[in-house]
Amino acid sequence: MNAIINDIEIIKAKTTKINEVDFDNLKFGQVFSDHMLECNYKNGAWEVPKVVPYHAITLDPSAKIFHYGQSVFEGMKAYKDANNEVWLFRPLENFKRLNISSKRLAIPELPEAYFMDGLKALLEVDKDWIPNKEGSSLYIRPFVFATGKGFHASPADEYKFIISTAPSGAYFAGKVKVLIEQTYSRSANGGVGYAKAGGNYAGQFYPTQLAVEKGYQQVIWTDDTNHEYIEEAGAMNIFIRINDTLITGPTSDRILDGITRKSIIDLAKSENIPVEVRKISVKEVVEAAKNGSLKEMFGAGTAAVISPIDGFGYQGTDYDLPKLDKTYAEYLKKRITDIQTNKSEDPFGWRYKV
């Protein structure tokens, strides 16, 4: 049976997979909900999106996504509170960033209504897939990629926008030991580092594999010129606490404007935690580790919200971080997740009811 919500056609799956899912043991991003949003760009315009059953995609071998990498994505979550009401966290920021990324890769930008109304329609259809267990959420992956055909090196003339979702349990990275990268670069000035382009992540995998072989779990990226300044941690923004001050690098062509990052900065300032947005050198971090003023390092991103770093390696030497009874990481993560799940007041207006 088909229905129309905000001009978005809903084609429901004939059967559901939900009864086959163990919601008490969900792995991140490996189980997928019954439906997805699908929208095509053809003849110079985006068609009205549809909510359709989750399905495989067939593409021509000459589709330009395979050859020239026009692909961008976002990461979001939907939450249920104690009253089974559904919430998003700053979704318009994800929409804006998706279009910023698209523009950088010469992909046509999406209308806001297609993203927001499409997302709301999808969540309404699959609201039973949103877990309400503590720490769980429905991970949401909006993405756009080139489907137009041709081997000639030029932007495609056709694209596909999809939102697919995956119920996921609490994301625990465990104790993370990182290696400060001195050879490879994640991005460069004038490049696409600030965009959520698929190729950015593909380029990270090999250096990360090399770090894993050395006994580390992740890489801290440094600037492309002299590998002098700290920039990101794996696929996350990074925060460094020296004494009582929280420091993170400024956004640039090379650094992603993370939504969790922005939220942490605003939240910390509201809690009178000293925050500095500035370049921070590897030398400064190593010196702080040596003199005991380095208290914390943590990554910030959608999946884990905040992922504490236990220690780091640099030029053949490992540095352990102190074990603190109370950490900024733990406190800020709880404050953000309480806002996300409607357990506390939201003075910033970040929470979005579906």
Side-chain angles (χ1 to χ4, degrees), residues 26-27 33-34 44 63-65 70-71 112 119 133 158 160 168 183 187 201 208 228 240 242 246 271 286 320 333 349:
L26 289 168
K27 292 184 178 180
S33 314
D34 285 329
K64 291 199 173 184
I65 178 57
Q70 279 183 289
S71 173
E112 180 180 320
L119 177 55
K133 185 178 179 181
E158 295 184 357
K160 189 180 287 286
S168 298
T183 302
S187 58
Y201 298 81
T208 303
E228 183 181 356
I240 296 165
I242 295 179
L246 203 54
E271 299 282 348
V286 170
D320 293 326
K333 181 174 183 176

Side-chain angles (χ1 to χ4, degrees), residues 211-314:
V212 169
E213 290 170 5
K214 295 175 182 176
Y216 302 92
Q217 284 75 50
Q218 198 47 267
V219 166
I220 287 185
W221 301 104
T222 50
D223 67 281
D224 64 302
T225 306
N226 298 312
H227 298 287
E228 183 181 356
Y229 293 98
I230 300 288
E231 296 208 328
E232 292 198 354
M236 308 177 81
N237 294 117
I238 187 168
F239 285 82
I240 296 165
R241 176 184 172 185
I242 295 179
N243 291 318
D244 290 331
T245 300
L246 203 54
I247 307 166
T248 192
T251 55
S252 66
D253 286 349
R254 303 184 307 277
I255 297 178
L256 185 73
D257 187 12
I259 295 163
T260 306
R261 171 191 174 275
K262 289 192 284 194
S263 304
I264 289 171
I265 292 169
D266 290 346
L267 185 58
K269 288 179 178 178
S270 76
E271 299 282 348
N272 296 315
I273 294 172
V275 178
E276 294 180 2
V277 179
R278 63 169 175 84
K279 296 172 85 172
I280 181 167
S281 68
V282 176
K283 182 179 179 181
E284 182 179 354
V285 173
V286 170
E287 185 57 37
K290 289 178 178 178
N291 66 30
S293 61
L294 179 63
K295 304 300 183 185
E296 294 181 70
M297 298 171 67
F298 56 83
T302 299
V305 183
I306 288 176
S307 181
I309 293 169
D310 248 17
F312 68 91
Y314 177 66

